[in-house]
């Protein structure tokens, strides 16, 4: 490792709570030496952490080691020499006596340097000695050499920080872990002055039993363990401190270490050692909390359900929350992990695990039969790919199968295991009515279902075309099914239905699950193929309707049948209590017009008046009415639309006694004046209703093109007009784009030339036939009583052109055409 990597590793060890850290073999290289100096001089070592440095029993190396720790507050000097017969006889060719002398002489040197550095730097020292290859050393000789070292050290005391540390390494693991424990127990029983000693374990993992050897060694009497994070070390590595600590934690023993953010520990170790953590490494591997087996998944799913109930009760009563979970001895949350990967899916998985993941991701608690149905979908995908199904794959498969729009997912989605796209049917809006009553009913809240005869009027997109579907039934779902049967020749019956709430309080949602059976010709009731659907909405009726549409979409996908064409294309029906805004949205969807809010009210009244006599109006008829009322101004409206004659007000040509004058723009030119003013010059055709016309040159000035046009018109007509409202937007795209303009003009009598007042129409949220006229009559009567009577006429005009200025000018003229002007 580089110094940067070593420093990061050291910081991670400190963060985990380790208080004695062997940081280097300083005499081995300049890198290690420099690293130790960097920790000390950089202030990296906390006051409560002991820096441990390793050195063999060689005088020159011991002195170099002391140089590396100069100025450190707390230091453990760790010296070792090999004591096993194999090394005494083969490697070093030393006798027992020579081996003891080597250890004793260098311990004396260590003591001398300790005293020197204590006096010079005020360092706190502790001493650790390792009879290397302890497990291959004669037990009695290991005790003998340690007693001699302790005697030479001559500083051991009974206080913990004064005790000498005897580190007994299983340098190469060559025997079962119980043998190691026996050797530790023998040492603890026979070494002298046991109260002045800390017996330290140092297991390796050559037989894969390092953890077991450490745990049994503790039971044999040891006080301390040396190891590495995730067991990294020479050959098969040292004992894994993470596993060892969390083993104790799982048994209720506090190891004094913090692995509550284990992912950060993994990231550091992988970065610094460049060795990955195995996916099945205890506690840390990405698969250790994961169940693929169907039976395991089912047990875990039920365990979570049971635990949630028990923990809720514990919160209520102030009791303890106990972790008691099948196949999970430790709560992943204690390690900073989520439950997302607890259940993962492959071809071995069962419906319970898949349902658990759907519930965790989408908060949908699938009924058992739907679990079985969706399990078949996932099983087929898993066997087809031969790979594990990720949570994202399962969510995508669920949304694609049941046309469910989960939060954060917008259709269509391609490139995954399942191509997700919108169904052929899409519920846009709906209203319910009690029986034959035309008054809309209030929708129930989530969890409340009303069971009585209903009429439904639903706006449904069918293969991209918005259509109005009507039906009746003894409940919301049967009414919708009746509308599908009557309008689209889709005959389905409900076989299964269930629902539950999502969330709590004001944000609660309803989730509904519907299984429908299709009734095909020649089949008895309930014999057809079944399909499941899912719906979520803020009210229970809406979620149920969405679930029905979801199920029917599944059937349509399976058969790819052709649906009957729309026979009417209804946009407006006077028998349906739709609102002003809804009519405007329909007009935008069908014709592209974005009608201004003030104009929406006028259009709504016109459609109501015509609808009372003609009934339902399709898009073609609405378009004709729109052009006649706001472009040509030749619409003849029924009497219910005309304002009472006493108030002196008419809108868009409803004054039947006048002979309207029609204006149309032939050509124009605009000139910019100082301070942003405009000068209009153009030719306009002034035509009367009898067919006679006269083209005149019109000139005027104003703040903009429209006001300049009005200024010029006032020289040719006897009345005076002002602009009350103006809106514009683009129509179409690309080279075919056009500009649409909407202008409202107000005409005032010569008796009162004050600026036009704003009509006080009020809220139209629940607009009904005649309410606007009644409000205006009341306003006029009130104003008359106050001596403020005016005779006001208002008119809207609409025009479209490739030039935005031309569309605005023609809209002014179209609006003027509804004001029954008189030519000078």
């Amino acid at each position: 490792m580089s110094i940067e990597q070593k420093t990061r590793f050291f910081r991670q060890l400190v963060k985990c709570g380790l208080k004695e850290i062997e940081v280097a073999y300083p005499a081995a290289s300049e890198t290690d030496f420099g690293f130790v100096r960097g920790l000390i001089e950089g202030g990296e070592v906390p006051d409560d952490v002991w820096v441990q440095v390793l050195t063999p029993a060689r005088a020159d190396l011991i002195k170099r080691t002391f140089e590396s720790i100069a100025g450190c507050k707390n230091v453990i000097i760790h010296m070792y020499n090999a004591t096993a017969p194999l090394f005494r006889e083969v490697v070093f060719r030393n006798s027992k006596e020579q081996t003891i002398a080597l250890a004793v002489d260098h311990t004396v040197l260590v003591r001398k340097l300790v005293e020197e550095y204590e006096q010079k730097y005020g360092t706190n020292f502790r001493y650790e000695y390792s009879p290397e290859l302890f497990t291959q050393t004669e037990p009695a000789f290991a005790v003998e050499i340690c007693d001699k070292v302790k005697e030479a050290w001559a500083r051991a005391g009974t206080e913990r920080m004064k005790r000498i540390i005897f580190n007994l390494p299983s340098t190469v693991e060559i025997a079962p872990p119980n043998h190691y424990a026996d050797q530790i127990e023998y040492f603890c029983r026979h070494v002298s002055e046991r109260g002045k000693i800390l017996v330290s374990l140092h297991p390796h993992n050559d037989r894969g039993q390092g953890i077991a050897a450490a745990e049994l060694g503790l039971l044999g009497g040891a006080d301390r363990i040396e190891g590495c994070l995730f067991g990294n070390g020479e050959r098969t590595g040292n004992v894994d401190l993470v596993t060892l600590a969390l083993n104790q934690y799982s048994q209720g023993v506090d190891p004094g270490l913090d692995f509550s953010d284990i992912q950060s520990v993994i990231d550091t170790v992988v970065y610094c050692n460049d060795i990955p953590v195995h996916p099945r490494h205890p506690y840390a591997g990405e698969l250790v909390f994961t169940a693929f087996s169907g039976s395991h998944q089912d047990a875990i799913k039920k365990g979570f359900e049971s635990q949630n109930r028990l923990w809720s009760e514990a919160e209520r009563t102030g009791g303890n929350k106990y972790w008691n979970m099948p196949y999970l001895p430790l709560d992943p949350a204690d390690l900073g992990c989520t439950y997302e990967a607890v259940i993962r899916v492959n071809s071995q998985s069962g419906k319970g695990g898949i349902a658990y993941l759907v519930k965790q991701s989408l908060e949908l608690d699938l009924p058992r039969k739907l679990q079985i149905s969706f399990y078949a979908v996932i099983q087929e995908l898993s066997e087809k790919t031969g790979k594990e199904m990720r949570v994202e794959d399962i969510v995508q498969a669920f949304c694609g199968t049941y046309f469910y729009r989960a939060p954060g997912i917008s259709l269509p989605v391609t490139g995954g295991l399942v191509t997700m796209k919108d169904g052929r049917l899409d519920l846009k809006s709906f209203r319910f009515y009690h029986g034959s009553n035309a008054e809309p009913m209030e929708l129930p809240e989530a969890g409340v279902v009303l069971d009585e005869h209903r009429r439904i009027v639903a706006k449904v997109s069918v293969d991209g075309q918005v259509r109005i579907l009507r039906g009746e039934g003894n409940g919301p779902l049967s009414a919708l099914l009746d509308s599908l049967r009557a309008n689209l020749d889709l005959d389905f019956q409900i076989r299964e239905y269930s629902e539950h709430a999502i969330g709590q309080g004001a944000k609660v949602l309803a989730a509904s699950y519907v299984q429908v059976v299709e009734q095909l010709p020649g089949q008895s009731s309930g014999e057809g193929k079944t399909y499941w659907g899912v719906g979520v909405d803020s009210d229970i009726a809406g979620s149920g309707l969405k679930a029905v549409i979801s199920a029917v979409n599944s059937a349509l996908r399976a058969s790819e049948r052709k649906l009957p064409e729309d026979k009417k294309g209804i946009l407006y029906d006077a028998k349906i209590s739709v609102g002003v805004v809804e009519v405007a949205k329909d007009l935008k969807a069908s014709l592209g017009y974005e009608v201004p809010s003030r104009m929406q009210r006028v259009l709504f009244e016109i459609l109501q008046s015509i609808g009372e006599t003609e009934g339902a109006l399709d898009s073609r008829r609405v378009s004709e009415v729109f052009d006649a009322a706001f472009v040509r101004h030749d619409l003849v409206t029924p009497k219910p639309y005309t304002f009472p004659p006493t108030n002196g007000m008419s809108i868009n040509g409803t004054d039947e006694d006048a002979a309207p004058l029609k204006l149309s723009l032939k050509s124009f030119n605009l000139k910019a004046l100082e301070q942003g003013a405009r000068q209009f010059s153009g030719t306009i055709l002034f035509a009367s209703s009898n067919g006679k016309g006269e083209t005149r040159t019109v000139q005027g000035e104003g703040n903009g093109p429209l006001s300049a046009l009005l200024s010029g018109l006032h020289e040719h007509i006897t009345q005076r007009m002002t602009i009350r409202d103006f809106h514009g937007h683009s129509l179409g795209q690309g080279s075919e784009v056009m500009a649409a303009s909407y202008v409202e003009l107000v005409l005032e009598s010569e008796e009162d030339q004050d600026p036009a007042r704003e009509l006080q129409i009020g809220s139209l949220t629940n607009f009904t036939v005649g309410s606007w006229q009644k409000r205006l009559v009341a306003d006029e009567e009130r104003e008359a009583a106050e001596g403020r009577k005016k005779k006001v006429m208002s008119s809207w005009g609409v025009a479209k052109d490739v030039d935005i200025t031309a569309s605005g000018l023609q809209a002014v003229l179209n609006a003027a055409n509804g004001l029954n002007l008189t030519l000078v």
Side-chain angles (χ1 to χ4, degrees):
M1 287 189 284
S2 67
I3 289 182
E4 183 272 329
Q5 289 173 313
K6 290 174 179 285
T7 303
R8 176 174 171 177
F9 207 115
F10 178 81
R11 291 169 180 167
Q12 184 66 60
L13 294 172
V14 171
K15 182 180 177 181
C16 291
L18 288 151
K19 301 302 181 184
E20 299 172 10
I21 304 173
E22 188 167 282
V23 295
Y25 180 169
S29 68
E30 287 301 317
T31 299
D32 276 14
F33 187 92
F35 168 61
V36 177
R37 293 307 309 155
L39 291 181
I40 298 169
E41 294 170 1
E44 294 283 351
V45 185
D47 288 343
D48 62 343
V49 170
W50 290 75
V51 169
Q52 182 170 305
V53 285
L54 179 67
T55 180
R58 279 181 49 183
D60 57 333
L61 300 182
I62 293 173
K63 292 176 182 178
R64 181 64 171 166
T65 299
F66 270 86
E67 291 172 3
S68 73
I69 52 85
C72 189
K73 181 178 180 180
N74 300 309
V75 176
I76 299 175
I77 300 295
H78 181 190
M79 191 191 78
Y80 69 92
N81 68 305
T83 57
L86 180 62
F87 278 70
R88 293 198 313 261
E89 297 166 4
V90 175
V91 180
F92 299 111
R93 298 181 181 180
N94 283 338
S95 64
K96 286 184 177 181
E97 292 75 18
Q98 289 173 315
T99 301
I100 292 175
L102 182 68
V104 168
D105 291 346
H106 288 88
T107 296
V108 171
L109 175 60
V110 168
R111 186 186 69 192
K112 178 182 176 182
L113 291 171
V114 162
E115 292 170 350
E116 178 183 330
Y117 274 72
E118 282 178 335
Q119 184 176 4
K120 187 174 182 179
Y121 298 104
T123 301
N124 300 314
F125 281 100
R126 295 165 66 192
Y127 183 47
E128 176 177 342
Y129 171 71
S130 290
E132 192 184 7
L133 297 129
F134 165 78
T135 53
Q136 294 173 258
T137 301
E138 305 93 324
F141 181 64
V143 171
E144 181 184 359
I145 195 171
C146 286
D147 277 338
K148 295 294 184 181
V149 166
K150 176 165 57 68
E151 182 180 344
W153 174 242
R155 291 168 58 100
T158 56
E159 296 180 17
R160 183 174 180 85
M161 294 304 170
K162 296 293 185 180
R163 296 184 185 187
I164 188 172
I165 302 170
F166 286 137
N167 188 55
L168 308 179
S170 172
T171 310
V172 179
E173 189 178 43
I174 60 170
N178 60 302
H179 286 202
Y180 186 51
D182 289 342
Q183 289 173 306
I184 298 300
E185 184 178 5
Y186 177 91
F187 184 90
C188 291
R189 288 179 180 273
H190 292 84
V191 72
S192 63
E193 298 182 300
R194 178 65 178 87
K196 296 182 179 181
I197 298 170
L198 291 178
V199 175
S200 177
L201 305 178
H202 190 106
H204 279 248
N205 202 42
D206 297 87
R207 292 168 54 96
Q209 298 173 322
I211 295 292
E215 292 180 336
L216 291 178
L218 286 177
L219 296 177
D223 308 296
R224 181 178 182 268
I225 299 176
E226 292 185 351
C228 299
L229 297 184
F230 305 120
N232 289 318
E234 285 200 67
R235 301 184 312 280
T236 56
N238 296 72
V239 67
D240 175 12
L241 290 183
V242 177
T243 301
L244 192 62
L246 293 177
N247 279 356
Q248 293 187 353
Y249 179 79
S250 68
Q251 301 302 309
V253 177
D254 184 2
L257 300 181
D258 181 6
F259 293 114
S260 60
D261 183 11
I262 199 167
Q263 188 57 51
S264 69
V265 181
I266 296 171
D267 293 342
T268 297
V269 172
V270 171
Y271 170 77
C272 295
N273 289 340
D274 199 23
I275 299 175
V277 174
H278 194 278
R280 298 198 182 277
H281 191 102
Y283 301 108
E286 65 178 37
L287 297 179
V288 298
F289 296 118
T290 300
F292 287 97
S293 166
S295 60
H296 292 194
Q297 292 173 347
D298 185 62
I300 292 172
K301 175 178 177 290
K302 292 174 180 176
F304 273 115
E305 292 170 351
S306 173
Q307 181 171 268
N308 288 340
R309 292 192 298 269
L310 294 174
W311 281 14
S312 296
E313 179 65 18
E315 284 186 357
R316 188 182 65 82
T317 61
N320 293 322
K321 294 181 179 180
Y322 293 103
W323 178 261
N324 189 24
M325 185 68 58
Y327 298 106
L328 296 175
L330 186 69
D331 186 352
D334 290 352
L335 305 182
C337 302
T338 67
Y339 301 130
E340 181 177 342
V342 168
I343 290 178
R344 288 164 66 172
V345 174
N346 59 16
S347 59
Q348 303 295 317
S349 303
K351 64 182 185 300
I354 296 170
Y356 169 83
L357 293 178
V358 171
K359 185 174 182 180
Q360 290 294 111
S361 302
L362 302 176
E363 298 186 82
L364 299 177
D365 192 3
L366 307 185
R368 186 175 182 277
K369 290 186 178 180
L370 179 53
Q371 292 180 24
I372 296 172
S373 176
F374 185 53
Y375 167 74
V377 174
I378 297 300
Q379 191 79 357
E380 181 180 354
L381 286 173
S382 180
E383 291 178 352
K384 181 179 178 181
T385 62
K387 297 180 179 179
E388 175 192 349
M389 295 290 289
R390 301 170 304 166
V391 175
E392 309 92 89
D393 298 328
I394 293 172
V395 170
Q396 184 174 329
F398 184 88
C399 295
T401 301
Y402 303 109
F403 304 94
Y404 177 66
R405 291 185 178 89
I409 296 180
S410 57
L411 303 180
V413 174
T414 59
L417 297 180
V418 177
T419 298
M420 298 163 47
K421 58 183 179 180
D422 285 317
R424 296 176 64 184
L425 306 184
D426 185 17
L427 182 65
K428 298 295 186 182
S429 62
F430 62 91
R431 285 204 176 192
F432 285 117
Y433 304 86
H434 293 283
S436 59
N437 189 355
E439 288 297 318
M441 60 179 292
E442 293 295 327
L443 294 175
E445 296 179 353
V448 179
V449 179
L450 302 179
D451 188 16
E452 52 187 77
H453 193 74
R454 310 284 184 84
R455 288 179 58 231
I456 187 174
V457 178
K459 188 185 298 181
V460 179
S461 173
V462 181
D463 292 330
Q465 181 186 16
V466 177
R467 297 165 65 168
I468 303 296
L469 308 184
R470 298 171 179 81
E472 298 184 6
N474 59 5
L477 307 190
S478 60
L480 177 61
L481 290 175
D482 181 66
S483 74
L484 297 176
R485 190 179 303 112
N487 294 272
L488 301 177
D489 297 335
L490 298 173
D491 192 0
F492 291 89
Q493 293 181 359
I494 293 177
R495 173 173 288 181
E496 296 278 348
Y497 173 83
S498 64
E499 53 87 19
H500 65 79
I502 298 177
Q504 296 179 344
K507 296 183 179 180
V508 67
L509 297 174
S512 296
Y513 311 92
V514 171
Q515 185 186 37
V516 300
V517 56
E518 186 172 15
Q519 298 301 124
L520 297 175
Q523 291 180 330
S524 301
S525 178
E527 285 187 352
K529 189 174 180 179
T530 61
Y531 304 91
W532 276 97
V534 179
V536 173
D537 200 89
S538 57
D539 69 86
I540 192 65
S543 68
L545 297 180
K546 288 181 178 179
V548 169
I549 294 294
S550 167
V552 174
N553 274 328
S554 297
L556 293 176
R557 176 175 52 195
S559 62
E560 298 184 356
R561 73 193 74 180
K562 184 177 180 180
L563 297 177
E565 295 182 359
D566 188 8
K567 300 175 182 178
K568 294 183 179 181
I570 301 299
L571 282 185
Y572 181 83
D573 190 339
K575 296 180 180 180
I576 307 172
S577 296
V578 294
V580 177
V581 176
E582 291 170 310
V583 172
K585 288 181 179 178
D586 287 341
L587 194 66
K588 179 180 179 181
S590 60
L591 304 178
Y593 286 116
E594 300 177 12
V595 180
S597 58
R598 286 180 55 81
M599 184 178 169
Q600 290 174 18
R601 304 162 183 172
V602 179
L603 174 62
F604 186 80
E605 287 287 349
I606 294 173
L607 293 178
Q608 280 192 318
S609 298
I610 296 176
E612 287 296 327
T613 57
E614 296 186 17
L617 307 180
D618 61 15
S619 59
R620 179 190 58 80
R621 179 57 177 146
V622 170
S623 180
E624 290 177 353
V625 171
F626 189 85
D627 287 342
F630 305 112
V631 179
R632 302 192 309 272
H633 284 276
D634 56 6
L635 177 68
V636 177
T637 56
K639 288 293 183 181
Y641 172 68
T642 307
F643 285 94
T646 56
N647 72 356
M649 181 168 183
S650 177
I651 293 184
N652 283 24
T654 58
D655 188 343
E656 298 176 358
D657 298 329
L661 183 66
K662 302 299 182 183
L663 285 65
S664 59
L665 183 66
K666 294 301 182 181
S667 64
F668 73 94
N669 182 52
L670 288 172
K671 181 180 179 181
L673 302 177
E674 294 181 357
Q675 296 180 344
R678 295 289 187 272
Q679 182 183 71
F680 173 88
S681 177
T683 56
I684 295 177
L685 175 63
F686 293 80
S688 61
S689 58
N690 58 15
K692 296 181 180 180
E694 178 183 354
T695 300
R696 295 187 179 186
T697 299
V698 176
Q699 293 182 333
E701 296 181 4
N703 293 330
L706 306 191
S707 59
L709 172 60
L710 283 183
S711 174
L713 288 176
H714 290 157
E715 300 296 325
H716 298 270
I717 59 174
T718 60
Q719 298 93 333
R720 181 177 178 83
M721 300 174 291
T722 57
I723 296 175
R724 174 183 285 172
D725 206 350
F726 170 79
H727 289 272
H729 65 83
S730 60
L731 278 173
Q733 295 179 345
S735 60
E736 299 180 356
V737 68
M738 300 185 74
S741 297
Y742 309 83
V743 173
E744 182 185 19
L745 294 181
V746 173
L747 182 67
E748 296 190 0
S749 68
E750 297 179 357
E751 302 171 5
D752 192 342
Q753 293 296 334
D754 290 339
R757 65 180 175 85
E758 182 74 18
L759 297 181
Q760 300 299 312
I761 296 175
S763 173
L764 295 177
T765 303
N766 297 309
F767 199 81
T768 57
V769 176
S771 64
W772 188 16
Q773 294 97 322
K774 293 175 183 178
R775 180 64 180 269
L776 287 174
V777 169
D779 287 347
E780 293 288 347
E781 292 176 350
R782 174 175 49 78
E783 291 176 355
E786 297 173 356
R788 297 190 289 120
K789 181 176 180 181
K790 294 179 182 179
K791 186 174 182 179
V792 181
M793 182 179 290
S794 171
S795 176
W796 278 93
V798 179
K800 57 184 178 180
D801 197 280
V802 293
D803 180 75
I804 187 171
T805 303
S807 71
L809 296 174
Q810 188 59 57
V812 170
L813 298 180
N814 289 344
N817 290 337
L819 294 175
N820 300 324
L821 302 176
T822 303
L823 191 63
V824 173

